Amino acid sequence: MSAVLDPVSVLSDRVNAMAESATLAMTKKARELAAQGVKVISLSIGEPDFPTPQHIKDAAKKAIDDNFTQYTPVSGIADLRSAIAEKLRRDNNLDWKPENIVVSTGAKQSLTNVLLALLNPGDEVIIFSPYWVSYSEMVVLAEGKPVLVTGSLENDFKVTAEEFEAAITPRTKLVMFSSPCNPTGSVFTEEELRKIGQVVERHENIFVMADEIYEYIVFEGKNFSIGSIPSIKDRVITVNGCSKGYAMTGWRLGYIAAAKWIADACDKIQGQVTSGTCSITQKAAVAALTGPLDDTRKMAEAYRRRRDLVIAGLREIPGLKISVPQGAFYAFPDMSYYFGKSDGTNKINNADDLAMYLLNVGHVATVSGAAFGAPNCIRLSTAASDENLTEAINRIKTALGNLK
């Protein structure tokens, strides 16, 4: 009879050191509860609830009918990389050639490629916090050291240039952040990013990874790309994709734009891991990037309306501290007022307990802010119908009202 293996001792240290994605874990729990017949309103996953625009789907159907189903170049087909280069000039004031662009199977892969390409063991990566849950785990996977710099709620969770510079050490290799931000919905202004750019300019060995996946979901003005600052252009890696602005999450397409030597390194890594992303998706992405933005604008306007609806509802709940999101589709209230309270059965010690309480008692799936570097908060996705959002806020209000 063979001995029973201990998975922890057999699995790699790399895997054992990684945390599970909190957003996917909560979504899984919500689905399990729903499978038991409970009517759960899920506000846990960051996914548009709109269909992919028709002209994009039509392009995919045409690609299938044209038998465009074979392997593609690792970094993406030529017409897609050209379309991305033109989009970056049009929308972001970024002058990159197709050779500076690498298309990947989702922005997650784009981010990971860059970290694997740039980091050596022990290199420090400054992450503006609150941050998207996977950032720190990606850094650990690449054998780097995450260094979290936290922005205050009073400053809409945004890290200042001074706070950023104070965290720099001789081991700092990279700074990474998203704007508009997942999970807070905060958007760095051009002035704020130019000040951050000045810090980068003073420290010649530091690179910037700017995640702009939510760029089309901005409620005031236009998103500013830090990579458009000429003095640091060659040290900024801009990451984007089609999932949020075009409601193409399941299509899985992301990309980077960067100095050619960085793009070449990412191409080299990707060539040994996944090669080129889905050929059909790439043709659909060409249509997305070169086609009209009418549907994208309609979605952004809906997210603005939902933002207002949710923030108004949250403000009616005692004890919450709220920053008004300027982009993306999240609300990120500070819930610490309820820590230490109980409904007689459930004691709320922290945001993890509160998120589980809201799921099990209120039947609303949210995500604990601890996973995003903000242990006093929870994240609610506003990518849901007005009806579901209204009902979810009412359920949350009722559940919290039972805590004494």
Side-chain angles (χ1 to χ4, degrees):
M1 184 175 179
S2 60
V4 177
L5 293 175
D6 173 19
V8 173
S9 65
V10 176
L11 291 172
S12 69
D13 293 341
R14 184 181 303 108
V15 170
N16 287 327
M18 291 179 70
E20 183 182 8
S21 168
T23 53
L24 297 181
M26 182 56 80
T27 300
K28 179 181 177 182
K29 288 185 175 71
R31 287 171 178 161
E32 290 172 352
L33 203 58
Q36 298 170 21
V38 178
K39 293 183 179 179
V40 175
I41 298 176
S42 182
L43 306 181
S44 60
I45 195 164
E47 182 170 34
D49 60 320
F50 296 99
T52 302
Q54 189 61 46
H55 68 282
I56 299 173
K57 294 189 287 188
D58 289 342
K61 294 173 185 177
K62 184 176 187 303
I64 295 172
D65 290 340
D66 291 346
N67 296 312
F68 191 75
T69 55
Q70 296 179 308
Y71 291 138
T72 69
V74 171
S75 56
I77 58 178
D79 51 347
L80 175 54
R81 294 164 79 194
S82 294
I84 292 170
E86 178 55 34
K87 173 257 179 287
L88 293 172
R89 279 190 290 272
R90 179 191 73 210
D91 295 345
N92 309 98
N93 196 28
L94 292 172
D95 187 16
W96 289 118
K97 297 178 181 178
E99 65 189 26
N100 297 101
I101 292 161
V102 177
V103 176
S104 301
T105 306
K108 271 188 175 180
Q109 184 178 22
S110 298
L111 292 161
T112 304
N113 282 346
V114 173
L115 293 169
L116 291 172
L118 289 181
L119 298 185
N120 285 312
D123 284 345
E124 293 179 356
V125 178
I126 292 175
I127 301 174
F128 290 176
S129 178
Y131 60 94
W132 181 49
V133 293
S134 293
Y135 284 173
S136 60
E137 298 305 316
M138 290 172 174
V139 171
V140 170
L141 180 65
E143 299 185 84
K145 178 184 176 183
V147 176
L148 306 183
V149 180
T150 303
S152 67
L153 187 149
E154 292 73 22
N155 194 43
D156 291 330
F157 296 106
K158 293 185 286 187
V159 173
T160 66
E162 293 77 16
E163 290 167 335
F164 164 40
E165 189 158 29
I168 293 173
T169 75
R171 296 304 303 269
T172 304
K173 185 72 169 285
L174 182 75
V175 58
M176 61 190 298
F177 59 88
S178 60
S179 181
C181 177
N182 176 2
T184 66
S186 300
V187 179
F188 281 102
T189 66
E190 178 176 345
E191 180 182 4
E192 290 167 335
L193 287 176
R194 287 194 180 279
K195 287 180 179 178
I196 290 169
Q198 290 170 2
V199 175
V200 175
E201 189 174 1
R202 288 195 292 271
H203 297 268
E204 296 180 352
N205 296 319
I206 295 178
F207 294 81
V208 179
M209 185 143 64
D211 182 347
E212 300 183 357
I213 195 75
Y214 290 92
E215 70 162 325
Y216 287 138
I217 310 172
V218 175
F219 305 135
E220 300 292 338
K222 184 180 179 183
N223 196 56
F224 177 78
S225 294
I226 192 171
S228 65
I229 301 173
S231 60
I232 60 171
K233 173 188 174 182
D234 288 340
R235 288 190 283 136
V236 176
I237 303 99
T238 301
V239 180
N240 210 323
C242 293
S243 62
K244 312 303 184 183
Y246 303 104
M248 292 177 67
T249 50
W251 298 75
R252 308 309 302 138
L253 189 136
Y255 58 84
I256 67 160
K260 190 173 184 301
W261 63 272
I262 297 175
D264 288 346
C266 290
D267 179 274
K268 183 178 181 181
I269 291 168
Q270 189 165 296
Q272 296 290 7
V273 180
T274 60
S275 297
T277 195
C278 171
S279 59
I280 307 304
T281 292
Q282 291 189 59
K283 283 295 187 181
V286 172
L289 292 162
T290 60
L293 289 173
D294 297 3
D295 290 300
T296 295
R297 294 190 183 103
K298 289 177 183 177
M299 286 187 276
E301 186 54 40
Y303 294 135
R304 176 204 290 271
R305 185 186 69 251
R306 294 166 174 183
R307 184 270 313 259
D308 293 344
L309 185 157
V310 168
I311 294 300
L314 291 174
R315 281 177 168 161
E316 294 178 357
I317 300 175
L320 303 191
K321 299 176 185 176
I322 301 168
S323 172
V324 179
Q326 297 302 307
F329 41 70
Y330 304 105
F332 202 61
D334 181 316
M335 311 290 286
S336 56
Y337 173 82
Y338 291 94
F339 296 174
K341 297 181 185 295
S342 171
D343 67 349
T345 302
N346 302 281
K347 176 74 177 292
I348 308 301
N349 297 302
N350 49 44
D352 291 347
D353 289 346
L354 187 58
M356 288 306 301
Y357 173 75
L358 292 178
L359 176 62
N360 292 324
V361 175
H363 300 154
V364 178
T366 62
V367 186
S368 166
F372 303 96
N376 287 341
C377 300
I378 63 168
R379 191 193 76 171
L380 302 86
S381 169
T382 58
S385 68
D386 292 26
E387 180 183 8
N388 278 347
L389 290 172
T390 299
E391 175 62 20
I393 296 301
N394 287 336
R395 291 185 184 186
I396 291 172
K397 186 176 183 179
T398 299
L400 293 178
N402 292 328
L403 296 174
K404 308 298 180 184

